[in-house]
Amino acid sequence: MEESLSLSLSLSCPLSLLSFFFLFTLSILSPISNAQLSQNYYTTSCPNVESLVRSAVSLKVQQSMAAGPGTLRLFFHDCFIRGCDASVLLTSSTGDDENHSGADLTLSPDAVDTIKKAKEAVEGDPQCSNKVSCADVLALAARDVVSLTGGPYYKVELGRLDGKVSTRAAVKYGLPGPSFNLDQLNALFSANGLTQTDMIALSGAHTIGISHCDKFIRRIYQFKDPMPYNPPINLTFLRQLRQTCPMSYQQSSFVNLDPISPFKFDNAYYQNLQRQMGLLASDQVLFADRRSRGTVNLFATNQTAFEEAFVAAITKLGKVGVKTGSDGEIRRVCTAVN
Ligand code: HEM
Ligand SMILES: *[C@@H]1O[C@H](CO)[C@@H](O)[C@H](O)[C@H]1NC(C)=O
Ligand SMILES: *[C@@H]1O[C@H](CO)[C@@H](O)[C@H](O)[C@H]1NC(C)=O
Ligand SMILES: *[C@@H]1O[C@H](CO)[C@@H](O)[C@H](O)[C@H]1NC(C)=O
């Protein structure tokens, strides 16, 4: 779209050659790829891909509580680092890969196993072998997690290729931190082509899953170096959090991101924010900051509005940095390039 816009500009006004190059460059760097994804991408090459992935995900989610939320988070991290190209799944023998970038990532081994199982199921179908990318398997698996936990079912656009590169360094500035304020959240999401409304809707993914104590410990105790900004927190909720996460908390201790309905994909996340029960500062800030509060209130009172916004936003997320050319491939095994 941006390319055609810049083209028509340059045709209608020859003097705008400079702006042509400017916009053209922008469109090349544009995070939301113009690459053609389609809902019917595998209709002839692997007609059963959706049911193969769904069965594998469904089984794994029954076996492990961590698999579902972990898989949804994996998709988000994949798309924000080098685009939705399954680079998050690559492991390097030297340890220089996204997975080894430190505590920020805390990839769930169960999530990685979910994608492994789903990919194996696809490869096991003779018609599908070597046809379906890990990036697409991950996008489908994320959708299945959302709908299997009670969220909306939506059509997934397909046709991504798998990337060939994964480095630790790429993760450093690519992911949001739990202490981000609204400006920081907006800046990072907007760099990925997503609006504030998209960001608020996608944060609703925190209606399932957990957070370890270290991600919010500075929020619940007064340390010598307080957070620059700590949005208000419900006193009852605070007492509960201090019980699970004492100042000398254990590394493995964790709390549900949504204390009300932690296993259900619903809009309780936003209702929690209205009661100052957002776990991470980056959650509660969405209600604390007047610029985003209206959207939080809308999603808290209207589940349909939330679901529609979530589907629109995760569909957009699924287009970030998509590879369709020679910079990609169909990986045989998701943890290694071919
Ligand atoms: C808006 C900025 C975001 C921040 C700052 C953020 C941060 C975090 C943090 C710190 C955790 C806890 C990790 C741990 O302690 O193990 C977490 C968990 C999670 N995040 Fe986010 N996140 C954000 C957006 C998203 C988005 C866009 C999605 C997906 C669409 C997502 C999905 C999840 C899920 C499902 C979990 C639970 C993981 C589990 O139970 O294993 N998050 N997030
Ligand atoms: C990522 O690292 C963790 C911890 O080092 C490990 O358990 C997991 O298997 C790794 N993931 C992949 C895809 O290899
Ligand atoms: C704190 O949480 C309780 C229980 O959910 C709720 O009744 C109360 O209104 C909340 N307080 C504030 C200030 O939101
Ligand atoms: C809730 O949101 C949906 C979708 O935006 C809209 O059609 C509906 O009218 C809203 N419901 C209410 C009660 O406002």
Side-chain angles (χ1 to χ4, degrees):
M1 232 164 77
E2 284 129 15
E3 270 168 76
S4 57
L5 172 72
S6 55
L7 199 64
S8 62
L9 267 179
S10 70
L11 288 178
S12 61
C13 171
L15 284 178
S16 68
L17 205 63
L18 210 78
S19 80
F20 169 79
F21 282 112
F22 178 69
L23 285 171
F24 185 70
T25 312
L26 254 188
S27 73
I28 285 176
L29 297 174
S30 171
I32 303 269
S33 161
N34 290 326
Q36 279 302 311
L37 296 180
S38 116
Q39 294 177 358
N40 310 318
Y41 191 78
Y42 296 110
T43 304
T44 49
S45 59
C46 179
N48 295 330
V49 66
E50 306 231 359
S51 61
L52 289 166
V53 171
R54 191 174 182 87
S55 302
V57 173
S58 174
L59 182 64
K60 184 70 196 182
V61 165
Q62 283 165 39
Q63 292 166 342
S64 150
M65 303 252 285
T71 300
L72 183 53
R73 184 168 187 236
L74 201 57
F75 178 61
F76 168 49
H77 285 193
D78 183 35
C79 294
F80 262 40
I81 310 295
R82 291 184 188 280
C84 313
D85 68 346
S87 58
V88 74
L89 294 167
L90 290 173
T91 48
S92 139
S93 52
T94 64
D96 186 12
D97 56 40
E98 292 170 28
N99 185 31
H100 288 90
S101 63
D104 258 5
L105 209 48
T106 51
L107 292 181
S108 152
D110 285 309
V112 174
D113 194 52
T114 304
I115 304 309
K116 181 170 181 260
K117 296 271 163 59
K119 172 72 168 170
E120 281 168 2
V122 173
E123 292 299 310
D125 182 326
Q127 207 182 341
C128 301
S129 179
N130 285 327
K131 303 252 171 64
V132 181
S133 68
C134 296
D136 280 347
V137 170
L138 181 51
L140 287 169
R143 184 273 312 273
D144 291 334
V145 165
V146 170
S147 76
L148 285 167
T149 50
Y153 183 88
Y154 54 93
K155 281 280 172 194
V156 179
E157 298 183 344
L158 300 165
R160 302 167 186 81
L161 289 181
D162 296 325
K164 301 175 186 172
V165 181
S166 175
T167 61
R168 286 165 87 141
V171 179
K172 195 161 182 190
Y173 302 107
L175 292 175
S179 303
F180 270 25
N181 63 31
L182 189 69
D183 289 320
Q184 292 170 309
L185 290 170
N186 278 335
L188 186 58
F189 277 72
S190 133
N192 286 284
L194 299 164
T195 64
Q196 176 174 288
T197 303
D198 293 330
M199 183 273 291
I200 298 169
L202 286 168
S203 294
H206 289 176
T207 179
I208 56 171
I210 57 106
S211 172
H212 294 88
C213 299
D214 62 312
K215 304 300 189 298
F216 54 87
I217 199 76
R218 292 174 71 204
R219 195 157 141 62
I220 63 173
Y221 297 105
Q222 291 293 328
F223 287 107
K224 279 198 198 104
D225 57 335
M227 302 169 65
Y229 172 64
N230 189 5
I233 188 161
N234 187 305
L235 211 64
T236 319
F237 185 50
L238 178 66
R239 288 200 194 98
Q240 290 164 3
L241 293 177
R242 284 180 172 168
Q243 259 164 25
T244 314
C245 303
M247 223 183 262
S248 56
Y249 63 89
Q250 301 199 320
Q251 289 293 328
S252 57
S253 298
F254 59 83
V255 171
N256 290 324
L257 282 156
D258 170 5
I260 303 300
S261 52
F263 310 110
K264 195 164 190 308
F265 195 100
D266 55 15
N267 65 343
Y269 168 82
Y270 303 100
Q271 295 165 355
N272 296 336
L273 300 185
Q274 291 178 318
R275 297 183 195 115
Q276 327 279 34
M277 285 165 62
L279 183 58
L280 309 175
S282 59
D283 295 321
Q284 192 59 50
V285 77
L286 302 180
F287 183 78
D289 196 306
R290 286 176 178 281
R291 293 171 292 168
S292 43
R293 188 181 300 165
T295 308
V296 168
N297 286 335
L298 170 68
F299 293 164
T301 49
N302 189 332
Q303 165 98 6
T304 312
F306 162 54
E307 290 188 348
E308 284 179 8
F310 183 84
V311 168
I314 199 163
T315 303
K316 243 162 120 180
L317 175 66
K319 294 185 203 184
V320 173
V322 160
K323 299 178 176 61
T324 53
S326 57
D327 50 351
E329 63 180 6
I330 307 281
R331 242 176 257 158
R332 276 187 285 275
V333 174
C334 292
T335 49
V337 295
N338 290 343

